[in-house]
Amino acid sequence: MGNSKFLDIIPGGFSIATDVSCETIVHNPITAKFLRIEPWEQFSYSSQKQPTAKIYHKGKPIAAEDQPIQRAAWYGEEITRCELEFIWEDGVSKIAQWSASPLRDDTGNICGAIATMEDITEIIYMARELDMHKSQLEELVEKTTEAWKLQFEKLQKAEREAWQSETEIKLIKRALKSAEDRFAKAFYLSPQQKSIIRLSDRRYIDVNESFTKARNQARHEVIGKTPCELGSPTEEAEKVFYCLEKQGSIDNLEISIPKHNGTFGKALLSAEVVEIDGELCGLFDYTEITELKKMQAEMARLDRLNLVGQMAAGIAHEIRNPMTTVRGYLQFLGAKQEYITQRSTFDLMISELDRANSIITEFLSLTRNQPTRLKCQNLNDILNNLYPMIEADAFNQNKLIKFIPQEIPDIQLSTKEIHQLVLNLCHNGLEAMREQSRLTIRTFTDSEGVVLSVQDEGAGIGKEAVGKLGTPFYTTKEGGTGLGLAMCYNIAESHNASIDVDTGPQGTTFFVRFNPVKQETLENVIVVNKTI
């Protein structure tokens, strides 16, 4: 298949700058449709012929050097999900999120850039429409509050004026009670998390049921406490109160919210300053977006894997054929007597070709579309067979290894793929440790099923790097390909398992959690992977 036909079938939108100048940037059909140009037509803000669309970021025009693909090509930056709005002369407006990475040659120098994009025009317009509805709702609440205030003032006037009849006063009180009941129901029964905080001492004076359920705390455990006393980050809480006291309101500020298991979720916070019993208070509304954030991160990872898979499947065969030919000629020439003095050079070139071929093999493993044969067997049996090989690897590096198996049930596994997953995790763990450090492999069960853990005694993984684990080509090791962990995550997915990471200065532990197997399913099955 020709390169253009192969690139035409890639499902996502992407663009490629063919050199660091970014004067020539080509776009596949999906991106071209978004940009309102012909497929593979150039659309570069660095060329002499400028496109007709203007580009804005957060409402402000941006220059060519600030656009993602130019930043990747000119400065080597990794850009993730940068939101840009394109506005054409005929008034058409489109919005997309762009990610970009530099392309490097064999010497590591930047030779261009590649960018992917996701059209989020409809999502943004829906969000704007939701904001409009929210504004209308806030206006309604404001009008209701004003009406309540007027009724209250009317009640005070009625009490001051002796001539007003007792019947009229009762009617006014009844209206006030009705208004209070409506507000209480709207507050306490709302599916949104809501709270009221006194601004003078920043302590909760009321919360609704949705708030207590989300935090897994009783109402009496919250009332009278400050957000910081309940686990909210101090710096973030200070920012919230500063903005509220200065501006009088907050609209969709992303914050961290403490969860009952000691972790933090994410929420969008909106707030207004209100007066209650003569005191200024903050009325807070929280829209939790924890799962949305996780889904967006997972979608970004899958988008990257999808692009890798499509490219690998299309070009690996064409790359390997000339490599095989070159390797054969190098072996042939190296065997000739007149080149005997250059034998070491030929061997070096052959070894480099073999290394490139092994990288392609890892690259292709991410795109497998062959069925994965799962057989009901015991994970301990597989590890016992692998242990001598891992032990030898540790011995050669002057490091220690320990295997602590517990009794575990049989589960559906592919022996070949589990070999690959365990060897990759152990190899990474050994590389992360100093000599005489220990690598510990454990198997056990918990409430979720069978668990395999690989624990090293290295220096740990940086917070920023943890979020990128499993992303193809991302590596912190010099000379690494960034494909080993991506392969592990892919194998875990084919086994309906998950990978969790616990890391710190004392070392890193990878947990592979396999779902429990029901008795009626304990027989040989074939699971067909989706091509990623």
Side-chain angles (χ1 to χ4, degrees):
M1 180 184 294
N3 287 338
S4 63
K5 291 182 178 179
F6 157 68
L7 294 171
D8 279 344
I9 67 172
I10 293 179
F14 74 92
S15 307
I16 297 176
T18 57
D19 57 38
V20 295
S21 72
C22 291
E23 292 184 0
T24 301
I25 301 177
V26 294
H27 312 271
N28 78 332
I30 293 177
T31 304
K33 182 180 179 180
F34 174 87
L35 296 174
R36 306 175 75 192
I37 59 175
E38 294 296 321
W40 307 112
E41 181 180 342
Q42 297 181 18
F43 187 85
S44 170
Y45 285 82
S46 299
S47 62
Q48 294 182 355
K49 182 182 178 182
Q50 295 291 320
T52 58
K54 297 186 180 299
I55 303 181
Y56 297 83
H57 177 60
K58 295 182 177 179
K60 297 181 180 180
I62 65 171
E65 61 267 24
D66 292 327
Q67 296 170 26
I69 196 165
Q70 280 84 351
R71 287 166 62 187
W74 295 349
Y75 310 116
E77 294 186 38
E78 291 279 353
I79 311 301
T80 304
R81 305 185 79 80
C82 175
E83 185 175 307
L84 299 179
E85 182 174 9
F86 290 71
I87 301 178
W88 282 263
E89 293 178 350
D90 58 1
V92 173
S93 170
K94 292 186 177 183
I95 305 169
Q97 287 184 334
W98 295 78
S99 299
S101 299
L103 297 176
R104 300 179 184 272
D105 58 23
D106 293 339
T107 63
N109 293 324
I110 297 175
C111 60
I114 184 169
T116 60
M117 80 90 184
E118 179 184 4
D119 187 350
I120 60 171
T121 304
E122 291 186 7
I123 296 175
I124 294 298
Y125 283 165
M126 288 176 62
R128 290 175 179 173
E129 186 175 352
L130 286 174
D131 286 341
M132 181 186 68
H133 290 313
K134 180 181 177 182
S135 297
Q136 293 173 346
L137 179 59
E138 289 174 346
E139 183 179 356
L140 178 60
V141 170
E142 183 178 355
K143 289 180 178 178
T144 303
T145 304
E146 184 65 22
W148 185 16
K149 182 180 178 181
L150 291 173
Q151 292 284 3
F152 184 76
E153 291 173 351
K154 188 175 181 180
L155 175 61
Q156 287 182 320
K157 182 179 179 180
E159 291 174 342
R160 287 192 303 265
E161 298 179 1
W163 56 266
Q164 190 168 6
S165 69
E166 184 178 350
T167 303
E168 185 178 2
I169 294 175
K170 288 182 178 180
L171 290 175
I172 295 173
K173 286 183 177 180
R174 188 179 302 167
L176 271 175
K177 182 64 169 58
S178 178
E180 289 174 352
D181 289 343
R182 288 196 297 270
F183 174 80
K185 288 181 179 179
F187 180 83
Y188 291 112
L189 301 180
S190 172
Q192 295 285 100
Q193 298 180 43
K194 294 182 183 296
S195 68
I196 301 175
I197 299 177
R198 189 167 46 234
L199 296 183
S200 59
D201 57 6
R202 299 180 178 178
R203 296 187 179 277
Y204 289 100
I205 62 174
D206 210 348
V207 294
N208 69 350
E209 187 176 359
S210 297
F211 184 98
T212 56
K213 282 184 177 180
R215 315 296 175 96
N216 196 30
Q217 293 175 310
R219 185 172 178 274
H220 71 271
E221 295 176 326
V222 177
I223 303 303
K225 301 288 183 64
T226 68
C228 294
E229 290 173 344
L230 295 179
S232 294
T234 302
E235 184 177 346
E236 196 170 74
E238 290 295 332
K239 178 182 177 182
V240 168
F241 285 112
Y242 174 80
C243 292
L244 185 60
E245 292 168 357
K246 184 177 181 180
Q247 303 172 5
S249 64
I250 296 175
D251 185 32
N252 288 336
L253 175 66
E254 185 174 319
I255 63 168
S256 301
I257 55 174
K259 310 294 282 187
H260 60 85
N261 56 3
T263 61
F264 286 88
K266 290 291 184 181
L268 294 179
L269 171 68
S270 296
E272 293 285 341
V273 175
V274 296
E275 185 176 333
I276 299 177
D277 296 333
E279 290 188 297
L280 291 180
C281 300
L283 176 60
F284 293 86
D285 181 280
Y286 312 82
T287 302
E288 190 157 348
I289 57 172
T290 305
E291 294 303 319
L292 176 62
K293 284 287 185 181
K294 290 181 180 179
M295 183 179 67
Q296 288 175 342
E298 181 64 14
M299 288 300 296
R301 188 180 75 85
L302 292 178
D303 286 345
R304 193 75 171 268
L305 285 174
N306 185 59
L307 179 60
V308 170
Q310 296 290 347
M311 293 179 66
I315 66 176
H317 180 71
E318 295 184 18
I319 292 177
R320 274 180 161 172
N321 280 343
M323 284 175 57
T324 302
T325 303
V326 172
R327 191 182 191 282
Y329 274 105
L330 288 174
Q331 287 180 313
F332 175 73
L333 293 174
K336 288 183 172 292
Q337 188 64 32
E338 58 266 35
Y339 297 115
I340 194 67
T341 59
Q342 303 296 324
R343 176 67 62 82
S344 62
T345 301
F346 284 114
D347 290 343
L348 175 61
M349 288 189 287
I350 290 172
S351 69
E352 288 299 300
L353 284 173
D354 290 341
R355 189 170 75 89
N357 191 52
S358 69
I359 293 174
I360 293 174
T361 300
E362 289 185 358
F363 196 36
L364 283 173
S365 70
L366 295 175
T367 69
R368 66 182 186 281
N369 52 16
Q370 298 297 319
T372 297
R373 293 188 174 274
L374 302 183
K375 181 180 180 182
C376 187
Q377 52 189 312
N378 198 282
L379 180 60
N380 285 339
D381 295 337
I382 297 177
L383 293 173
N384 283 326
N385 292 332
L386 274 180
Y387 187 75
M389 185 186 307
I390 304 171
E391 187 177 38
D393 191 13
F395 178 80
N396 290 335
Q397 299 181 44
N398 195 20
K399 298 168 186 177
L400 307 175
I401 186 168
K402 188 174 183 179
F403 177 34
I404 308 175
Q406 293 185 12
E407 185 176 347
I408 57 176
D410 292 350
I411 55 177
Q412 305 289 344
L413 300 171
S414 164
T415 303
K416 180 179 178 181
E417 291 192 355
I418 296 300
H419 276 200
Q420 201 169 18
L421 181 144
V422 173
L423 290 176
N424 272 337
L425 292 179
C426 290
H427 181 72
N428 287 347
L430 290 171
E431 282 192 341
M433 301 190 306
R434 299 187 299 271
E435 292 187 1
Q436 293 302 311
S437 298
R438 185 186 302 277
L439 183 76
T440 304
I441 306 170
R442 291 185 175 88
T443 57
F444 55 92
T445 59
D446 63 9
S447 59
E448 298 180 4
V450 175
V451 181
L452 162 69
S453 72
V454 179
Q455 179 181 9
D456 65 52
E457 296 179 352
I461 304 173
K463 182 177 180 181
E464 180 180 351
V466 170
K468 298 181 180 179
L469 292 179
T471 302
F473 306 119
Y474 178 77
T475 180
T476 58
K477 297 187 293 187
E478 184 177 353
T481 63
L483 296 175
L485 274 181
M487 189 186 311
C488 290
Y489 276 81
N490 197 24
I491 292 172
E493 184 179 357
S494 72
H495 284 73
N496 196 26
S498 62
I499 297 180
D500 299 319
V501 183
D502 182 15
T503 186
Q506 305 304 317
T508 299
T509 305
F510 280 84
F511 297 94
V512 184
R513 304 183 187 276
F514 299 87
N515 287 336
V517 180
K518 297 181 180 178
Q519 185 64 33
E520 58 268 22
T521 63
L522 290 178
E523 55 187 35
N524 294 353
V525 297
I526 296 179
V527 176
V528 181
N529 287 339
K530 295 181 290 184
T531 303
I532 59 172

